[in-house]
Amino acid sequence: MALALIGFSAVIGQILLMRELIVVFNGNEMSLGIALATWLLWTAAGSSLYSRFALDRANARTPVAVLECLLAASLPSTIWALCASKSIFQTVPGELVGPVPMLLTSLVCLSLFCAVSGALFVAAARMCAQESGLSARLAASSAYMLEAVGSGAGGILASIVLLRYCEAFQIAVLVGILNLSMAVVLLFRMSRKRLVALALAATLCTLLLLSYVAPKIYLSAQARLWQGFHVTASRDTIYGNLTVTETGSVRSMYSNGVLLANAPDESAAEEAIHYALLEHRAPKHVLLIGGGVNGGIKQALKHPSVESIDYVELDPALIGMALKFFPKETAPLISDPRVHVHYADGRRYLSTAAASFDVIVVNVPDPQTAQLNRFCTAEFFQSARKHLAPGGLLALELRSSEEAIDPDLTDFLRCIRRTLDEVFPYVVAIPGDTLHFFAAAQPDVLTDNPQVLIARLRERNLKTQYVREYFIPYRMMPDRMEQVAEQLRPLPSTPVNRDFAPTAYSFDIVLWSAQFKGGYARWFQSAARIPFATAIVGVLGILLLAAALLAGARNPQKRARSAVAYCMAATGFTLMALQVFLLLAFQAVYGFVYHQLAVLIGLSMAGIAFGSWLGMRRGRLSPDRPTRTMAAVQFAVALSVPALMLAVRLLDTIHGVAATSLAAQCVFPALAALSGMLGGFQFPIAADIYLRDGEKKLGALYAIDLLGGCAGALLLSAYLIPVFGFWRTAALCAAINLAPAMLAARVSRARFES
C-alpha cells in the first residue's frame, strides 16, 4: 500500500499542479512542456540524491514515513506558492508571463514536492527489499510496478470523482491525510482496533479540514492569483478553472487564465455574428461553436430569418456562471425556443451531427494550443463543408491589425488562408483588428461588396451599434480589401495546417514568444528553419557516435551499464512521446479527449504495471542474457511511435457511428495499455543489469528514466510536434532509439562471444 500510495499521490499532485500552472501561465503547450520537464527533473534529482545516502540501514520504514509527512505538507503549500508567484513577475495585473519567469517559477515552486516524490521511490524500494528479503533488482522492479498501479488508480479517481466535486486544496488535504495515515501505520505496529480508530480519526480530521480550513486557504490563494482584480466568482471544473472578475460595470470571464468574454461588449458580439450572417442571403439554421456567453446568440436572434441556433459549449459550468453573471447577454439560452445548447466538443458535435447549417460560426480563441489548433485545420474545414446546406458558409475570426500586418502575423494568417483554400474554392477576408474569414463551397454565396451587406442590414431592420451602414464601408474599402487579399495570398512555401501537421500552431508560438524580450521568437524561428532531413541525420549521427564511444569501454560491466542507461533514457523519452501522441491523436481523430483522459492515462499506467510484471517474470524464468532481451525490446520501442501513428491513421478512416464508438471506447484504450507495456517491461530488464553490484545505483536508474521523459516533455511540446508534425516526429523518435538498441545488441554479442 505504501508503494502504491507513492504513485497515487504523485499523479494526483501532478494533475493539481499542472492545472494551477495552466491558470498562472495562461497555458499553452510550451508552458506545460516547461512545467512537466521541471517536474521530471526535480523527481529525478530527488531519487538520485537519496540513493547516495544510507539513511535507512537500520529501519527502512522511518525514512519512508518522514518523506510521506513532507509530501503531505508540501502539496498544499506548493499550490499556494504557484498561485502567489504570478503577482511577483507581473508589473501590471493581467500581464502575460514569459518563458524565463515560467521556468523560474516551475523550478522554485515544484522543487520540494517533486524531489520528495523522487526520494520516496528509492526509500520505498529499499523498504521493500529489507522487509521482503528481495534483491535490489527485484525490489526496484516491484516498486516500479506498484507505483504504476497507484498512478493509474490515482489518475482515474482524480478525473472521474475528485475533480468533479472538490477544489484543489480539498484534494490536496485528502492526499495529505492519506500520506500522514500511512506514515503512522509504518512507524507504529498497530492492532486491528487501533487501525480502525486511526481510520475514524483520519476521517473526522478530513471532514473538518475540508469544511473549514481548505476553503479559506483556497480563497487566500485565489486572492494572490488574481491580485489587482476584483474576483466575483471562481470555480474549478473537470475542464479547468473558471473565474469571473468585475471592473466597474464590466464583468470578464476567464477560462484557465485566458479571457473568454467581456460583458457588456457589444462590439465583439456584433462583429462576430452580424458580418457572418449578413454574408448569407437568408440564414435559417445557424451553428455557433463557442462565443455565446458575451451576447452572440442575442445578436444572431435579431435576424428575422433565423429559425434555429445550435450553440456548442464544452463546459456546462461555463453556461451556469454566464447565466448568473451575464444575465442580459445569455437570457436567450433559456428563454428562446429557437436556441438549442449542446454540451460537447465543437468538433465532436460537428462530426456526429446529422443536420446541415446555413452558417457555421467558429468563435474560439486563436490556435495558441494544440487543442485550439484543431478548429483551424484542413480536416475540420472539410467536416464543416460537409455540414453546410446549399448556399451555406463558414465564418472564422482571428486576431489581426487595423493598420499594417507584421511579418510574423502575416505568415500565420497566410497559413490559415492556404488551409481554407485547400477545402473551399471561394474565400473572402474582411480586414480590421479582427480579421474575418468567410468560406463557401458554391459560387455567388460570398460578397466583398459593402453595399450588399448594407442593403441586407436595412432589409432585416437590424438595430446595431457597431455594424452600421457607416462602419461597413470603412471596414470593406476596396483598396483595403485588395491590400489584405494580396498580403495573405499563399506563397508556394506556405504550408497547409493539418491535424497531424499543426503548422499554424507553430506560427502562433512565434507570435506568443514575440511579446517578450530575450529573442525567443528568433530562436524558435531559427530552429524551425532546420530541414527535417538535417535534423534526423544530425540526431542519428550524434547518438551513434555516443554509442560507439560507450561501446569502446574496456570494462564489460561498465559497457553493459552504459547500454542500460542509454536505453532507459531513450525509453523514457519515447514513453512520453507515446503518451503525448496518444492524447493529441485521439483528440485530432475524435474531436474530444476530456472524458477519455482518465481512461487513457490510467490504462497507460496499467500497461506499465503489467509490463513490469512480465519483465520480472521473464527475469525469473529466463535469467540468462538480459542484454539481448533489452536490445530486442529497444528495437520494438523504436518502432512503437510510428506503429501508433499507423494505427491512428487506420482508425481515422472509420466513419460508421458504431465502429467509431467501438474504436474510441475500446481500441484507443487498448493502444494506451500497449504503449505503456513496453516501457514497463524494459525497466526490470534494465534493473537486472544495472543493479547487479547492489542498490547504490537504484535511484540513478530511476532518474535516468525520468530525465529521458523530461527531455521528451520539453522538446515534443515546444518544438518537435509544432515544427515537424506527428509523422516526422514519430520518425525522429524511432531514430533516437536506434543508437541505444544497436549499443545493447553490440554489448549482448560481446558478452555472448566472451
Side-chain angles (χ1 to χ4, degrees):
M1 291 300 294
L3 287 163
L5 184 60
I6 296 172
F8 181 89
S9 303
V11 78
I12 290 182
Q14 186 180 61
I15 291 171
L16 293 179
L17 295 174
M18 289 300 167
R19 283 163 63 92
E20 294 301 323
L21 285 163
I22 288 174
V23 180
V24 172
F25 296 151
N26 309 106
N28 55 23
E29 271 75 7
M30 180 177 285
S31 67
L32 290 179
I34 290 173
L36 188 55
T38 307
W39 176 285
L40 295 170
L41 179 66
W42 276 119
T43 307
S47 65
S48 180
L49 288 173
Y50 187 86
S51 66
R52 296 175 180 272
F53 298 97
L55 302 177
D56 43 16
R57 296 299 185 189
N59 183 3
R61 288 188 172 208
T62 302
V64 174
V66 171
L67 288 170
E68 287 194 321
C69 292
L70 284 174
L71 196 75
S74 63
L75 182 54
S77 60
T78 300
I79 296 174
W80 197 93
L82 284 173
C83 294
S85 66
K86 192 171 186 178
S87 60
I88 298 175
F89 295 105
Q90 287 182 326
T91 55
V92 294
E95 182 184 9
L96 292 177
V97 179
V100 170
M102 284 181 186
L103 180 60
L104 292 176
T105 300
S106 299
L107 284 172
V108 173
C109 292
L110 299 182
S111 56
L112 179 60
F113 181 83
C114 296
V116 169
S117 179
L120 254 174
F121 174 82
V122 182
R126 287 180 176 176
M127 182 180 69
C128 179
Q130 187 179 98
E131 299 210 356
S132 302
L134 299 176
S135 66
R137 293 174 287 174
L138 284 177
S141 301
S142 299
Y144 189 80
M145 178 184 69
L146 289 170
E147 184 193 39
V149 171
S151 296
I156 293 176
L157 181 65
S159 297
I160 294 179
V161 179
L162 296 179
L163 295 177
R164 291 179 182 271
Y165 303 108
C166 304
E167 48 87 0
F169 284 97
Q170 290 177 324
I171 299 173
V173 165
L174 287 171
V175 173
I177 293 294
L178 284 174
N179 279 274
L180 290 174
S181 300
M182 182 57 68
V184 173
V185 171
L186 290 174
L187 288 174
F188 306 101
R189 298 188 182 274
M190 297 181 173
S191 64
R192 184 174 300 176
K193 290 183 179 180
R194 291 187 176 183
L195 285 174
V196 172
L198 175 64
L200 291 175
T203 302
L204 179 61
C205 184
T206 300
L207 292 175
L208 292 173
L209 290 173
L210 292 182
S211 302
Y212 299 102
V213 179
K216 292 182 179 180
I217 300 176
Y218 178 78
L219 292 176
S220 171
Q222 290 297 306
R224 294 301 301 267
L225 178 62
W226 296 95
Q227 188 169 320
F229 293 89
H230 174 62
V231 177
T232 305
S234 183
R235 177 181 175 184
D236 289 327
T237 74
I238 60 173
Y239 304 109
N241 174 267
L242 293 173
T243 299
V244 177
T245 64
E246 188 171 6
T247 305
S249 61
V250 178
R251 286 180 171 175
S252 304
M253 181 177 288
Y254 295 83
S255 175
N256 291 330
V258 178
L259 179 65
L260 282 185
N262 293 314
D265 191 357
E266 294 286 337
S267 174
E270 287 188 6
E271 291 189 0
I273 298 299
H274 290 308
Y275 281 110
L277 270 59
L278 288 173
E279 282 284 340
H280 196 279
R281 287 183 173 86
K284 294 183 179 180
H285 305 289
V286 178
L287 173 62
L288 179 60
I289 299 177
V293 299
N294 68 337
I297 293 175
K298 181 180 177 181
Q299 298 298 327
L301 291 172
K302 292 181 179 180
H303 291 255
S305 61
V306 171
E307 297 178 359
S308 68
I309 298 176
D310 288 276
Y311 171 49
V312 184
E313 191 64 70
L314 180 64
D315 193 348
L318 188 149
I319 300 298
M321 293 184 73
L323 289 170
K324 182 177 180 179
F325 297 103
F326 301 168
K328 293 182 179 179
E329 290 75 16
T330 55
L333 290 173
I334 56 175
S335 62
D336 199 302
R338 293 173 291 176
V339 179
H340 309 281
V341 181
H342 306 276
Y343 298 118
D345 177 86
R347 279 195 62 163
R348 176 65 173 171
Y349 174 80
L350 192 61
S351 65
T352 57
S356 296
F357 304 96
D358 298 308
V359 180
I360 298 176
V361 181
V362 181
N363 192 4
V364 299
D366 285 3
Q368 57 190 357
T369 67
Q371 160 72 9
L372 293 171
N373 184 72
R374 299 161 44 251
F375 293 98
C376 294
T377 63
E379 290 83 356
F380 172 71
F381 294 152
Q382 289 167 356
S383 178
R385 178 173 175 169
K386 292 177 182 177
H387 288 83
L388 287 177
L393 62 95
L394 171 70
L396 176 71
E397 61 177 3
L398 299 165
R399 60 175 160 169
S400 183
S401 173
E402 192 69 51
E403 303 299 332
I405 305 176
D406 67 72
D408 293 335
L409 184 56
T410 299
D411 290 339
F412 166 67
L413 295 173
R414 189 182 286 139
C415 174
I416 302 300
R417 174 60 191 262
R418 171 75 176 87
T419 307
L420 283 168
D421 289 342
E422 183 80 2
V423 179
F424 294 97
Y426 307 99
V427 179
V428 168
I430 297 180
D433 281 335
T434 300
L435 184 72
H436 296 266
F437 278 119
F438 306 105
Q442 298 175 342
D444 303 323
V445 173
L446 304 177
T447 179
D448 58 2
N449 186 345
Q451 298 307 317
V452 174
L453 300 190
I454 292 172
R456 292 174 181 172
L457 182 77
R458 291 171 175 167
E459 178 186 346
R460 300 174 192 180
N461 194 29
L462 298 177
K463 304 301 181 183
T464 55
Q465 297 184 48
Y466 299 95
V467 180
R468 299 290 298 272
E469 58 275 7
Y470 41 85
F471 283 137
I472 294 175
Y474 170 74
R475 289 286 298 268
M476 301 179 67
M477 287 190 300
D479 58 337
R480 199 176 180 205
M481 296 277 288
E482 184 178 349
Q483 179 184 4
V484 170
E486 179 63 30
Q487 193 169 5
L488 300 187
R489 183 168 287 116
L491 304 174
S493 59
T494 301
V496 175
N497 188 37
R498 301 188 184 278
D499 283 344
F500 297 117
T503 53
Y505 171 44
S506 67
F507 287 128
D508 206 81
I509 287 179
V510 173
L511 292 174
W512 172 79
S513 57
Q515 300 175 81
F516 312 106
K517 297 179 180 179
Y520 310 117
R522 291 194 300 273
W523 296 348
F524 185 84
Q525 285 175 313
S526 299
R529 294 192 188 101
I530 299 174
F532 176 70
T534 302
I536 195 169
V537 170
V539 168
L540 189 57
I542 293 172
L543 293 177
L544 286 174
L545 178 60
L549 293 175
L550 293 174
R554 294 183 178 180
N555 188 326
Q557 189 61 31
K558 186 176 180 180
R559 282 202 306 269
R561 282 202 299 267
S562 298
V564 168
Y566 211 174
C567 287
M568 285 309 301
T571 300
F573 184 98
T574 308
L575 275 182
M576 180 59 65
L578 286 168
Q579 192 171 74
V580 171
F581 270 60
L582 194 69
L583 294 175
L584 295 183
F586 185 93
Q587 187 171 258
V589 173
Y590 297 110
F592 74 105
V593 74
Y594 296 101
H595 298 299
Q596 289 292 102
L597 184 63
V599 175
L600 294 178
I601 293 179
L603 285 177
S604 177
M605 299 307 299
I608 291 176
F610 184 64
S612 300
W613 178 80
L614 290 177
M616 294 167 63
R617 183 177 175 82
R618 178 264 166 211
R620 289 194 297 267
L621 297 178
S622 179
D624 297 330
R625 300 188 64 190
T627 49
R628 183 176 64 178
T629 304
M630 186 176 64
V633 173
Q634 201 64 37
F635 279 113
V637 170
L639 296 175
S640 61
V641 182
L644 176 64
M645 284 305 303
L646 181 60
V648 168
R649 201 61 182 172
L650 292 174
L651 292 173
D652 195 21
T653 62
I654 299 175
H655 299 296
V657 176
T660 299
S661 178
L662 179 65
Q665 301 299 327
C666 299
V667 179
F668 255 96
L671 288 175
L674 289 172
S675 298
M677 280 178 61
L678 281 174
F681 187 84
Q682 186 77 304
F683 190 88
I685 307 301
D688 189 25
I689 303 169
Y690 200 81
L691 303 178
R692 291 204 167 186
D693 56 351
E695 62 181 25
K696 293 182 178 180
K697 299 182 182 298
L698 191 155
L701 180 63
Y702 185 59
I704 290 168
D705 184 22
L706 293 173
L707 289 174
C710 171
L714 193 59
L715 290 174
L716 286 163
S717 61
Y719 177 63
L720 294 178
I721 290 178
V723 172
F724 295 131
F726 284 76
W727 279 104
R728 290 181 173 181
T729 303
L732 194 60
C733 289
I736 287 172
N737 283 278
L738 285 178
M742 294 171 67
L743 175 60
R746 177 71 184 88
V747 169
S748 173
R749 183 180 177 186
R751 289 172 68 89
F752 177 72
E753 290 174 349
S754 62

